[in-house]
Amino acid sequence: MRKKTWIAMLLLPALLLAVCAPLAAAEDTLHVIQVKDLPEDFILGMDLSSLLAEERSGVRYFDFDGREKDLLQIMADNGITHIRVRVWNDPYDEQGRGFGGGNCDIGTALEIGKRASQFGLKLIVDFHYSDFWADPGKYKAPRAWEGLDASAKAQALYAYTRESLETLRDADVDVGMVQIGNEINNGLAGETDWNAILPMLAAGARAVREVCPEALVAVHFTEPHNRGLYSYYADLLRDYGLDYDVFGSSYYPFWHGTLENLSEVLTEINRNYGKQVMVLETSWPYTGEDTDFSGNSVNEDSWGTRDYPFTVQGQADAVRDVIDTVAHIPGGIGICYWEGAWITVGGASWEENSAKWEEFGSGWASSFAAVYDPDDAGRWYGGSSWDNQAFFDASGHPLASLRLFSLLRSGSGDQSRRETAPAPEEQPAEDLPNLLENGSFESGELSPWILIDRCRGGELFVEDKAVDSLEGSWHMHFWNPNRDSVDFDLEQTVEDLPEGSYVYSVSIMGGDCGETEIFAYVKVNGELRFTEPMRVTVWNSWDTAVIPQIALSAGETLTVGVSVKCQGAGNGAWGKIDCAALRAED
Ligand code: CA
């Protein structure tokens, strides 16, 4: 993990150049390397779950001639064949206020499905079987199913699936595929035991067969790069005798390993289990910039693999290669891009946008989600983390990359030309031992760190949460909903170091901090000697301060630390500190 941060830092200047490369060049001349032998019925899907909330927030979409159109028509005109929609059982609080993320329930699926059908598009229905987001880290049962035992839950899931699909069928929505659960790696509807999950999957599949016999039944997993994982799940499904057609995978190129690996694991699924395979979610950023004042999941600073630049052409190349890969896997039936139109609601500030996210559910979560998910959505609610991965700019005009889907079969432009990713930088030499104790907070204790806490209220503690850690599962956490209330130093003193030269480094990420004064520092014999400013931007964007050439004489005492002072914005300043290290220099 640590190494990757170094590499990301080294790559930054090159990436900025790539991002600043003229977008205009791509506008007229999208280069598409032909995908050979692409089957006629290959699924080119687009998840548009947030569409209605976006429209209610005032977002409009335009075609390549600048005419405002129904987004579904724009999709159909540009080669998309299927529209995917997530479905939550009841994403509203008791006062009827939506949780956000599109407030997606069967009603939104129905409305989007009816419009999709007008333009000859099929629907992929993605049941989460939860009242809000379900993924490997979240799989809470719908509130209406709380307290049910596993078999009663399977029965409820059957009835709900059946009733929901009947609603779509009765409105002549063309349902092409139904997912029983979303990224169910670790659980489904509050159950984690596969003895409980498998009967629920079977109940859902049975409802699909009964109501929509033409539709494919899909299961959906993620982390294809985790070797052996997919065979493990496929064995469970086979041994149980689950009736399903499609083994679906998420594949985000920055997080999920190589295309070669994806191809290998899905080929195995087809060969060994006879199932069709599909990438149910994929994406790539066209820019590193944020446009809605709510941080993005992927940006220039974030962790991940970058085989393509964050440009319009890079986005087209990335998606083209996923399509090319799946099209040549035995049993590979298609791909679906995730939320390709979840753009900014257009306000000039966080506050202006937040009002729309709250009212219309067009952000990833609203504050009202607190009744269901108090620890995450209810606290960190906000806007779109995906606006830089849309196929539309901030004003709703399509990017040239949207032409990809209609150009795949013919190819376009020079068939060898390709924007190249930044050249990989050399990796730093093997690290020398870290002279700090508990530099990554993995003991779960603060000691031997000293906290000089001038904060008023809020939270400040060592936290166990792997997804918020740069290394291991622990880090130093801070959050304060009040303005001008985050103010602390965190430091550690090391004695008896031999005379020599040292380098100190520490990493931070965070957000909603407003104006900040954050810096890493080094004291010698208690006297401040070096500082290095640090910045926080958005979740998962780690900033690493490095203070080299710390000359130390024998008998001197060295103190290293990080000082944090934040004004606060949005839901309150928050951040994570991790991976402090002090090493001898060569
Ligand atoms: Ca954003």
Side-chain angles (χ1 to χ4, degrees), residues 289-297 383-388:
E289 300 296 313
D290 172 54
T291 59
D292 77 342
F293 306 96
S294 190
N296 291 336
S297 300
S384 173
S385 65
W386 221 253
D387 45 301
N388 65 328

Side-chain angles (χ1 to χ4, degrees), residues 355-377:
K356 291 181 178 175
W357 302 328
E358 292 283 282
E359 182 174 1
F360 304 111
S362 43
W364 83 271
S366 76
S367 63
F368 312 121
V371 297
Y372 186 63
D373 182 11
D375 294 333
D376 186 22

